[in-house]
């Protein structure tokens, strides 16, 4: 397809496409209206579907929630930047998922709370517990939740720019209308049944998009894709183990630290958020376990490859962002990032199927947003409004407030997407850092009675402070200045001790920066003003050129090209494929291998985890545990077992109260649960790699991985009966 054919992509949406999209909207809204007949009875129906949902429906709903239109964009961003192996940034969260399945799903279902925030006043006591519940209802339910929805809406904006050729504001308005209708009317049942319908469409659309992508003339089929010189270096599912700068940040940190230390929506250590909401809506413990197991299998083993294939094909069809901009000149330059390559590839579909895949992307958007709207409103209503504002509020009043909050949350999310976000990777990293270090609290609070409300308050406050400090303070540039002096990276750094040149570069940067700041302000002012679109684009590109010319490497090349060439030659001697980056520190110019930048986020993450963990551990040890009656009631209800509760159980017996009817202290299920976690990880990772091997044409590798996956699954199901699920 030539570039001039792509200029008005909206013209590609023919009558059949609009019919497909229209039918989809009618069916989704119809599901919401049908669910509304029971959703308005009470809050238990509106937020938990009457606690009678089966595992298969909840599992599909969970996987649909995480199958948002921003997810393929994020995967595309990762693959185009760091190859298939970059997906370990989220693949590592499978460990979290398996821990939730086999350890925490039972506990959540036993708690019988309506939201995971209600847990705070079940597990902790006094005013700190009440404060924690109320504050996190607002912090998570509104601000954090809307940031997530803003990320999803950002993807919708980019799809709107490519597919419909419409501006961001109308995209946000149109994308919100349908989902707000069914989420407001049908509550959680409307969301779950809509998820079931939407997921089927979304998954088909993703697979078909991959099929079309490899059939593009530039690609020439799957075999040609996998042997193309621009793609070969991106194919490995594992990082390059010959250089630690590749495998430590891409694999070791996510697998060894990230999964347990970081709170991330949909992969919360110990379960939480909308995953906990689905588990609480299950018929019983077995259905809660089955739902989360099915979710993790579909999420990690089955879904990634269609997106990965499209991302790889986009490298051939659109090697650079300039190629995407040439094909779609009407794109707002603010949104011209690597992640926009996915909707650019989708635009190449033919009539009818284009409408179906567009409907699948809309389905992905609506399933995620619908869940987050219901989840967020449940926090605001159940854990803030009915708990602190109107304690005697009736069921009808609470449902009315929930529906009002659903609309307001959507508006807030739209504002965040329009004003603050630019690409999927940006928000992903911020979300990880803002929850770094708190994950261990959510794992331990079920099994160690010393964890109290002050523990969580300290963790939450410390995580916010450290994340804001490291982002707004040192930031990426400051973190790089720490890293380049590490002994472990000395082989990848060349230090040029030329104070005069360094001073000249800094002086030039200081002169140019005010111009950049002024121009950035003008660009932001002009953004969104259609009457000034031409001037906006002109100033935007001028700003980009100024920033590029003001880098240390560019100015160093202008000041002393011979010295730079020598430093780069010395780096090449270490690794022929190395690319150079430069910065100034204490009058010296550091020319370093660009792979050193891979350490920036892991270092920031480890700093956050270290400080936050120290803060909440000290707080735990310096403050008393929750009240005895609270601890005993919690244990009697959830019976988590283990040595962390031994003191509470023995003290209760000494007082003539038996709270350990399940004999959880001496007959602890954790060893068999950990075995199930391990087997689950082996089964799903093996399935993931089996699919990848078959796609890559490695039939023997695919067969071996399939056998390993099947064997692990057989042993897993034999062990499952020993968990004692009710």
């Amino acid at each position: 397809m030539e570039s001039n054919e792509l200029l008005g992509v909206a013209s590609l949406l023919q009558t059949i496409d609009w019919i497909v999209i229209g039918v989809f909207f009618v069916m989704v809204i119809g599901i919401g209206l049908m669910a509304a007949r029971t959703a308005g009875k009470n809050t238990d129906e509106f937020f938990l579907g009457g606690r009678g949902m089966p595992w298969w429906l909840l599992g599909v709903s969970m996987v649909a929630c995480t199958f948002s239109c921003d997810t393929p964009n994020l995967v595309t961003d990762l693959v185009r930047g760091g190859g298939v192996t970059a997906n370990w940034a989220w693949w590592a969260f499978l460990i979290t998922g398996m821990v939730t399945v086999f350890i925490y799903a039972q506990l959540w279902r036993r708690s019988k709370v309506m939201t995971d925030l209600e847990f705070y006043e079940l597990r902790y006591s006094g005013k700190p517990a009440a404060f924690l519940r109320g504050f996190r209802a607002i912090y998570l339910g509104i601000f954090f939740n809307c940031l997530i929805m803003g990320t999803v809406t950002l993807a919708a904006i980019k799809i709107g720019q490519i597919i419909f050729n419409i501006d961001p504001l109308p995209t946000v308005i149109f994308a919100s209308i349908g989902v707000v209708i069914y989420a407001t009317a049908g509550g959680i049942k409307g969301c779950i049944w809509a998820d079931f319908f939407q997921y089927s469409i979304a998954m088909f659309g993703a697979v078909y998009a991959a099929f079309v992508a490899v059939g593009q003339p530039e690609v020439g089929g799957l075999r040609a894709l996998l042997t193309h010189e621009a793609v070969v270096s991106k194919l490995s599912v594992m990082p390059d183990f010959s250089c630690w700068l590749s495998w430590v940040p891409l694999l070791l940190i996510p697998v060894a630290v990230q999964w347990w230390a970081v709170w991330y929506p949909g992969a919360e250590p110990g379960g939480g958020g909308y995953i906990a909401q689905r588990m609480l809506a299950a018929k019983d413990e077995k259905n809660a376990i089955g739902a989360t197991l099915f979710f993790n299998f579909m999420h990690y083993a089955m879904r990634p490859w269609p997106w990965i294939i499209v991302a790889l094909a986009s490298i051939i069809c659109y090697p650079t962002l300039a190629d995407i901009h040439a094909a779609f000149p009407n794109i707002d330059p603010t949104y011209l990032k690597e992640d926009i390559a996915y909707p650019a590839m989708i635009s190449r579909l033919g009539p009818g199927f284009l409408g179906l895949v567009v409907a699948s992307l809309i389905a992905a958007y609506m399933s995620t947003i619908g869940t987050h709207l219901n989840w967020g409103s449940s926090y605001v209503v159940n854990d803030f409004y009915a708990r602190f504002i109107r304690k005697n509020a009736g069921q009808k009043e609470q449902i009315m407030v929930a529906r009002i909050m659903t609309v307001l949350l959507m508006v807030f999310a739209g504002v965040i997407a329009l004003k603050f976000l630019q690409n999927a990777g940006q928000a992903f990293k911020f979300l990880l850092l803002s929850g770094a270090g708190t994950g261990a609290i959510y794992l331990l609070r079920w099994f160690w009675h010393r964890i109290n409300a002050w523990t969580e308050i300290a963790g939450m406050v410390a995580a916010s402070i450290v994340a804001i400090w490291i982002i707004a303070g040192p930031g990426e540039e400051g973190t790089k200045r720490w890293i380049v002096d590490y002994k472990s990276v000395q082989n990848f750094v060349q230090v040029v001790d030329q104070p005069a040149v360094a001073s000249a570069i800094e002086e030039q940067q200081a002169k140019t920066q005010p111009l950049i700041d002024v121009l950035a302000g003008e660009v932001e002012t002009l953004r969104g003003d259609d009457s000034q679109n031409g001037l906006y684009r002109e100033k935007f590109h001028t700003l980009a050129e100024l920033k590029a010319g003001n880098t240390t490497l560019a100015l160093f090349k202008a000041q002393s090209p011979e010295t730079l060439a020598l430093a780069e030659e010395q780096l090449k001697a270490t690794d022929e494929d190395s690319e150079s980056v430069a910065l100034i520190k204490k009058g010296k110019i550091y020319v370093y291998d660009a792979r050193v930048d891979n350490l920036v986020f892991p270092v920031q993450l480890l700093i956050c985890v270290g400080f936050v963990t120290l803060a909440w551990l000290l707080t735990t040890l310096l403050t008393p545990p929750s009240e005895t009656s609270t601890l005993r009631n919690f244990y009697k209800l959830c019976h988590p077992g283990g040595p962390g509760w031994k003191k509470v159980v023995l003290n209760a017996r000494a007082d003539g109260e038996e709270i350990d009817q399940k004999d959880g202290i001496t007959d602890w299920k954790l060893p068999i649960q950990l075995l199930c976690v391990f087997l689950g990880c082996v089964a799903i990772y093996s399935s993931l790699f089996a699919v990848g091997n078959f796609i890559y044409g490695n039939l023997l590798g695919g067969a071996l991985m399939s056998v390993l996956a099947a064997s692990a699954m057989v042993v897993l199901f034999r062990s499952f009966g020993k968990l004692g699920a009710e």
Side-chain angles (χ1 to χ4, degrees):
M1 186 176 292
E2 301 296 332
S3 294
N4 60 351
E5 292 180 276
L6 293 170
L7 296 182
V9 179
S11 63
L12 294 179
L13 288 170
Q14 298 182 8
T15 303
I16 183 64
D17 299 310
W18 289 111
I19 291 174
V20 170
I21 294 171
V23 169
F24 164 77
F25 267 105
V26 169
M27 293 185 70
V28 169
I29 293 173
I31 290 171
L33 295 177
M34 288 179 64
R37 292 181 298 178
T38 57
K41 289 182 178 179
N42 52 57
T43 52
D44 207 50
E45 284 285 346
F46 193 84
F47 294 128
L48 294 177
R51 300 182 191 265
M53 309 301 283
W55 68 269
W56 56 270
L57 186 57
L58 291 172
V60 170
S61 179
M62 289 179 187
V63 76
C65 296
T66 53
F67 190 164
S68 175
C69 58
D70 71 314
T71 316
N73 286 21
L74 173 62
V75 171
T76 302
D77 194 356
L78 293 171
V79 171
R80 286 175 66 92
V84 176
T85 188
N87 285 283
W88 279 103
W90 66 279
W91 285 348
F93 283 121
L94 170 65
I95 306 172
T96 312
M98 289 296 96
V99 169
T100 299
V101 171
F102 295 111
I103 300 177
Y104 295 97
Q106 291 175 278
L107 298 173
W108 277 113
R109 189 62 184 81
R110 292 171 190 169
S111 72
K112 299 179 182 178
V113 295
M114 181 172 292
T115 68
D116 57 325
L117 297 188
E118 191 176 331
F119 168 89
Y120 291 129
E121 291 192 287
L122 176 68
R123 170 65 176 80
Y124 310 133
S125 56
K127 291 182 179 180
F131 165 80
L132 189 60
R133 179 181 179 182
F135 179 82
R136 285 183 72 83
I138 301 300
Y139 176 70
L140 294 180
I142 297 180
F143 295 105
F144 212 92
N145 186 34
C146 286
L147 176 61
I148 300 166
M149 290 194 293
T151 306
V152 179
T153 303
L154 174 67
I157 289 172
K158 296 191 177 190
I159 293 168
Q161 292 256 287
I162 293 288
I163 304 297
F164 298 100
N165 196 20
I166 59 176
D167 292 330
L169 181 58
T171 299
V172 173
I173 293 173
F174 296 147
S176 304
I177 291 174
V179 67
V180 167
I181 290 174
Y182 81 73
T184 302
I188 191 67
K189 275 189 178 178
C191 292
I192 288 175
W193 280 108
D195 286 345
F196 185 79
F197 169 66
Q198 290 164 338
Y199 178 70
S200 304
I201 296 176
M203 197 65 204
F204 174 82
V207 173
Y208 184 73
F211 175 78
V212 172
V214 299
Q216 292 301 302
E218 302 97 313
V219 178
L222 182 60
R223 179 60 54 193
L225 170 68
L226 299 175
T227 56
H228 194 281
E229 59 181 0
V231 171
V232 169
S233 63
K234 305 281 189 180
L235 292 177
S236 178
V237 296
M238 290 293 181
D240 179 11
F241 288 101
S242 66
C243 178
W244 71 271
L245 285 178
S246 297
W247 68 270
V248 168
L250 290 177
L251 181 62
L252 180 62
I253 297 300
V255 171
V257 178
Q258 189 173 295
W259 74 267
W260 62 265
V262 173
W263 186 94
Y264 183 74
E268 301 89 345
Y274 57 80
I275 298 298
Q277 185 186 33
R278 294 318 192 257
M279 291 187 289
L280 291 166
K283 289 180 179 179
D284 50 37
E285 292 178 20
K286 289 183 179 179
N287 277 273
I289 294 172
T292 45
L293 179 60
F294 179 72
F295 154 63
N296 280 279
F297 178 78
M298 294 302 297
H299 181 56
Y300 293 102
M302 295 292 103
R303 281 199 321 203
W305 287 107
W307 302 330
I308 290 171
I309 291 171
V310 175
L312 293 171
S314 77
I315 297 172
I316 301 174
C317 297
Y318 304 104
T320 67
L321 293 179
D323 296 305
I324 298 178
H325 188 250
F328 304 95
N330 293 326
I331 296 173
D332 186 331
T334 302
Y335 301 118
L336 191 60
K337 310 294 181 184
E338 297 291 352
D339 59 344
I340 206 168
Y342 189 86
M345 292 297 295
I346 295 303
S347 70
R348 293 172 170 241
L349 297 170
F353 286 107
L354 176 60
L356 184 61
V357 174
V358 169
S360 77
L361 292 173
I362 296 171
Y365 172 82
M366 294 177 73
S367 63
T368 301
I369 293 294
T371 289
H372 278 274
L373 289 174
N374 187 270
W375 170 50
S377 64
S378 73
Y379 278 6
V380 175
V381 173
N382 186 66
D383 301 297
F384 187 77
Y385 183 80
R387 173 63 181 83
F388 299 101
I389 306 300
R390 288 268 295 171
K391 293 185 178 181
N392 297 322
Q395 294 291 308
K396 297 293 185 182
E397 180 182 342
Q398 291 184 47
I399 292 172
M400 179 190 69
V401 174
R403 286 170 169 161
I404 293 172
M405 279 307 306
T406 299
V407 177
L408 293 179
L409 288 172
M410 190 68 253
V411 172
F412 191 18
V415 171
I416 290 175
L418 290 167
K419 294 295 183 181
F420 300 106
L421 298 177
Q422 295 181 10
N423 79 316
Q426 168 196 23
F428 180 70
K429 290 181 178 179
F430 175 77
L431 289 172
L432 290 182
L433 287 178
S434 61
T438 61
I441 300 175
Y442 308 125
L443 293 172
L444 292 175
R445 63 188 182 181
W446 294 88
F447 297 109
W448 186 24
H449 81 280
R450 289 288 284 113
I451 298 286
N452 57 48
W454 291 112
T455 304
E456 296 215 24
I457 292 171
M460 179 178 61
V461 172
S464 300
I465 292 174
V466 177
I468 292 171
W469 166 74
I470 206 164
I471 292 172
E476 289 195 8
E477 288 301 313
T479 308
K480 291 175 187 178
R481 287 186 172 85
W482 298 336
I483 294 170
V484 291
D485 274 337
Y486 287 179
K487 289 183 179 180
S488 53
V489 301
Q490 285 181 351
N491 291 337
F492 305 94
V493 180
Q494 295 295 319
V495 183
V496 180
D497 192 1
Q498 292 186 352
V501 176
S503 179
I505 293 173
E506 289 182 318
E507 184 178 342
Q508 181 60 40
Q509 288 176 328
K511 288 180 180 178
T512 309
Q513 191 58 47
L515 297 176
I516 291 175
D517 293 338
V518 170
L519 195 55
E522 292 176 352
V523 167
E524 188 60 33
T525 301
L526 292 169
R527 182 182 169 194
D529 186 348
D530 293 339
S531 64
Q532 299 290 323
N533 188 48
L535 182 60
Y536 162 67
R537 292 175 182 275
E538 178 184 337
K539 287 184 177 292
F540 186 96
H541 292 300
T542 302
L543 175 62
E545 291 173 2
L546 268 177
K547 286 181 176 179
N550 207 40
T551 65
T552 299
L553 190 67
L555 294 173
F556 187 23
K557 186 174 183 179
Q559 291 281 344
S560 185
E562 298 84 4
T563 308
L564 174 60
L566 178 60
E568 290 182 324
E569 184 179 341
Q570 291 170 329
L571 284 177
K572 293 281 186 184
T574 304
D575 190 332
E576 182 63 30
D577 296 327
S578 66
E579 297 181 6
S580 301
V581 185
L583 58 80
I584 296 174
K585 180 179 180 181
K586 296 180 180 179
K588 297 179 181 179
I589 304 168
Y590 290 74
V591 182
Y592 62 92
D593 190 320
R595 287 175 297 182
V596 173
D597 286 346
N598 291 339
L599 298 174
V600 171
F601 180 72
V603 167
Q604 292 178 333
L605 182 69
L606 291 175
I607 290 172
C608 290
V609 170
F611 277 107
V612 173
T613 301
L614 181 62
W616 69 255
L617 266 177
L618 288 174
T619 302
T620 302
L621 297 175
L622 294 174
T623 54
S626 298
E627 294 176 0
T628 300
S629 59
T630 300
L631 294 175
R632 292 180 181 180
N633 289 335
F634 174 78
Y635 190 92
K636 189 183 298 184
L637 179 65
C638 300
H639 43 89
W645 287 95
K646 185 175 181 180
K647 183 177 180 180
V648 175
V649 171
L650 294 179
N651 286 342
R653 285 177 182 168
D655 293 338
E657 183 180 2
E658 180 57 67
I659 64 173
D660 192 29
Q661 295 91 343
K662 297 286 183 178
D663 196 21
I665 300 301
T666 58
D667 186 26
W668 202 22
K669 301 294 184 182
L670 190 61
I672 190 67
Q673 289 173 325
L674 291 177
L675 174 63
C676 289
V677 169
F678 172 75
L679 292 170
C681 288
V682 170
I684 294 177
Y685 278 137
S686 297
S687 300
L688 171 68
F689 300 144
V691 175
N693 274 287
F694 285 131
I695 289 172
Y696 288 174
N698 182 4
L699 300 183
L700 178 60
L704 291 175
M705 287 290 103
S706 297
V707 170
L708 181 58
S711 301
M713 194 63 71
V714 169
V715 179
L716 173 62
F717 280 115
R718 287 181 177 176
S719 304
F720 180 78
K722 300 177 183 179
L723 294 180
E726 299 170 1

